[in-house]
Amino acid sequence: MKTERIIIEDKEQPEEELLKKPAEILRNGGLVAFPTETVYGLGANALNEEAAGKIYAAKGRPSDNPLIAHIADFDDLPPLVTVIPEAGRRLMEAFWPGPLTLIFPKSDLVPYGTTGGLDTVAVRMPADPVANALIRLAGVPVAAPSANTSGRPSPTTADHVWQDMNGKIDMIVDGGAVGIGVESTIIDVSGDEPVILRPGAITQEMAFSVLGQEVPLDPAIVSGPMKADVRPKAPGMKYKHYAPKADLTLVEGETENVIRTIKRLAEEKLSKGFRVGIICTEETKERYPDGMVRSMGLRAREETIAHNLYGVLREFDDLDADFIFSESFSRDHLGQAIMNRLTKAAGYHILNAGCKEDCVHD
């Protein structure tokens, strides 16, 4: 398959003429990668089970990993669901369009091939003008997981998509670099109480401000990998995600202990001839004299770290790193999403630099 690539020059007001062909491809069951405000998505007609199957094949994605249906207008939601709970309605009104996915009981219109066999459907209304215009022109809800090979760091530029999807999909809509850089928050509103299944830019604190109640994290987010016989409720919960090719270790603890531990571990690997990457911040990058040192941004501005996270992980793939040691980040606010992605990328391999012997817990 030859993958066509089109470039959108004006991302704020994309030319409708340029989007007619990718919209037609989506409508007719093909695959199109396109930018959203979070990461690039790999789109297909969410109501076409065969088209959804093409997504799984192109990504190498397990078939029980549900897809998110993207819509362009509020009126697009009712046909996809059997009920819109009050919590869901309030969250929609507050955060749509935007980086929030909500899980509802699905209607018969949505095939099980899109929902990973679940009786619920995940739905999002992206704020990105290119994504919104493309979905509206397609005239169908668009299932769109991240446009990368399953398990790899998600794509935040069209070049990332090209690396993974060239020859596997019909078209890439190049709208430049994305804004946020981590996937949407997922909140399940299909049960008695709302639950966060994946943290993102819509934080626990923001959800509380709208609902007036705590919205807890699903235990699967904090307890480690899900068991093989458990069906995930949402993308990113069960399988290895966001991972670079190198062995990645997260180092937690007091700043000075973390720096000292990373330097020691890096030196040990470098002395044996390995290629070593170090993930840090602008505040600490000058403290690491050896290895391939990459800053993800400023701790005081978590959005810069989220924006650069996947790009840094992919850069270490390009540099053929053997080992990567990363500083850890706050688990509050947007840091919750950052640490969720890094923890999964590291396969839950976290080292506590506060222990005398550097305690490791997987």
Side-chain angles (χ1 to χ4, degrees):
M1 175 186 294
K2 182 179 180 181
T3 300
E4 187 178 351
R5 181 168 172 172
I6 63 170
I7 298 175
I8 306 299
E9 298 290 352
D10 187 345
K11 294 184 289 185
E12 295 305 312
Q13 295 182 313
E15 293 182 48
E16 183 174 310
E17 195 63 34
L18 284 175
L19 294 177
K20 283 184 177 179
K21 183 173 182 179
E24 182 180 5
I25 292 171
L26 289 171
R27 194 163 47 248
N28 294 335
L31 298 183
V32 176
F34 59 94
T36 75
E37 69 273 27
T38 57
V39 299
Y40 269 75
L42 177 56
N45 185 343
L47 305 183
N48 182 330
E49 197 152 21
E50 183 179 346
K54 292 178 182 178
I55 290 178
Y56 288 105
K59 285 177 60 70
R61 182 184 179 98
S63 61
D64 66 345
N65 200 6
L67 306 174
I68 296 172
H70 293 64
I71 60 175
D73 295 291
F74 285 92
D75 290 343
D76 297 336
L77 178 63
L80 307 180
V81 305
T82 59
V83 63
I84 302 175
E86 177 64 13
R89 183 190 63 77
R90 291 165 66 184
L91 289 167
M92 287 163 49
E93 290 175 351
F95 301 118
W96 278 9
L100 174 66
T101 295
L102 296 171
I103 293 182
F104 303 94
K106 83 173 191 70
S107 72
D108 292 338
L109 186 64
V110 184
Y112 284 110
T114 295
T115 67
L118 298 172
D119 289 319
T120 53
V121 59
V123 185
R124 179 162 101 82
M125 186 191 299
D128 182 272
V130 176
N132 198 275
L134 176 60
I135 296 164
R136 183 173 284 106
L137 280 172
V140 294
V142 176
S146 54
N148 58 296
T149 301
S150 190
R152 287 206 71 202
S154 298
T156 54
T157 69
D159 286 341
H160 294 163
V161 180
W162 187 264
Q163 290 171 8
D164 285 12
M165 292 291 135
N166 183 29
K168 299 178 182 179
I169 65 177
D170 298 288
M171 180 177 284
I172 298 171
V173 177
D174 184 346
V178 304
I180 295 172
V182 293
E183 296 82 356
S184 62
T185 303
I186 300 178
I187 300 181
D188 185 356
V189 295
S190 67
D192 294 333
E193 299 291 340
V195 178
I196 294 176
L197 303 187
R198 184 175 70 189
I202 304 302
T203 65
Q204 272 186 301
E205 295 82 4
M206 293 165 70
F208 175 82
S209 71
V210 170
L211 299 179
Q213 66 181 84
E214 295 293 338
V215 183
L217 296 177
D218 188 283
I221 294 177
V222 293
S223 63
M226 293 178 69
K227 295 180 180 179
D229 60 349
V230 176
R231 185 180 291 275
K233 299 177 187 176
M237 294 187 71
K238 179 177 180 180
Y239 297 98
K240 186 177 182 181
H241 276 70
Y242 325 119
K245 296 173 185 176
D247 182 289
L248 171 61
T249 299
L250 269 173
V251 183
E252 291 187 323
E254 191 273 327
T255 301
E256 291 301 317
N257 288 340
V258 168
I259 293 171
R260 183 166 54 250
T261 299
I262 290 178
K263 288 171 70 174
R264 175 174 57 78
L265 293 171
E267 288 167 3
E268 289 174 0
K269 296 300 182 184
L270 287 166
S271 69
K272 296 176 182 178
F274 291 111
R275 297 176 62 81
V276 177
I278 295 173
I279 295 176
C280 60
T281 64
E282 288 298 303
E283 294 90 339
T284 58
K285 66 180 181 180
E286 301 302 328
R287 303 284 301 278
Y288 299 103
D290 301 312
M292 298 177 286
V293 181
R294 296 294 183 272
S295 165
M296 287 212 298
L298 291 161
R299 285 186 182 273
R301 295 182 57 203
E302 289 179 327
E303 69 275 13
T304 63
I305 295 170
H307 179 78
N308 293 317
L309 192 157
Y310 292 137
V312 168
L313 292 178
R314 281 182 170 264
E315 184 179 358
F316 282 130
D317 281 354
D318 295 338
L319 294 170
D320 294 322
D322 300 301
F323 294 90
I324 303 170
F325 299 101
S326 175
E327 296 178 357
S328 296
F329 300 90
S330 165
R331 293 181 184 269
D332 297 326
H333 306 287
L334 184 55
Q336 192 174 73
I338 294 165
M339 284 299 291
N340 170 263
R341 305 313 193 271
L342 277 173
T343 298
K344 290 186 73 67
Y348 296 89
H349 187 250
I350 304 173
L351 188 152
N352 189 336
C355 297
K356 287 185 178 180
E357 301 295 327
D358 292 340
C359 308
V360 175
H361 51 95
D362 293 291

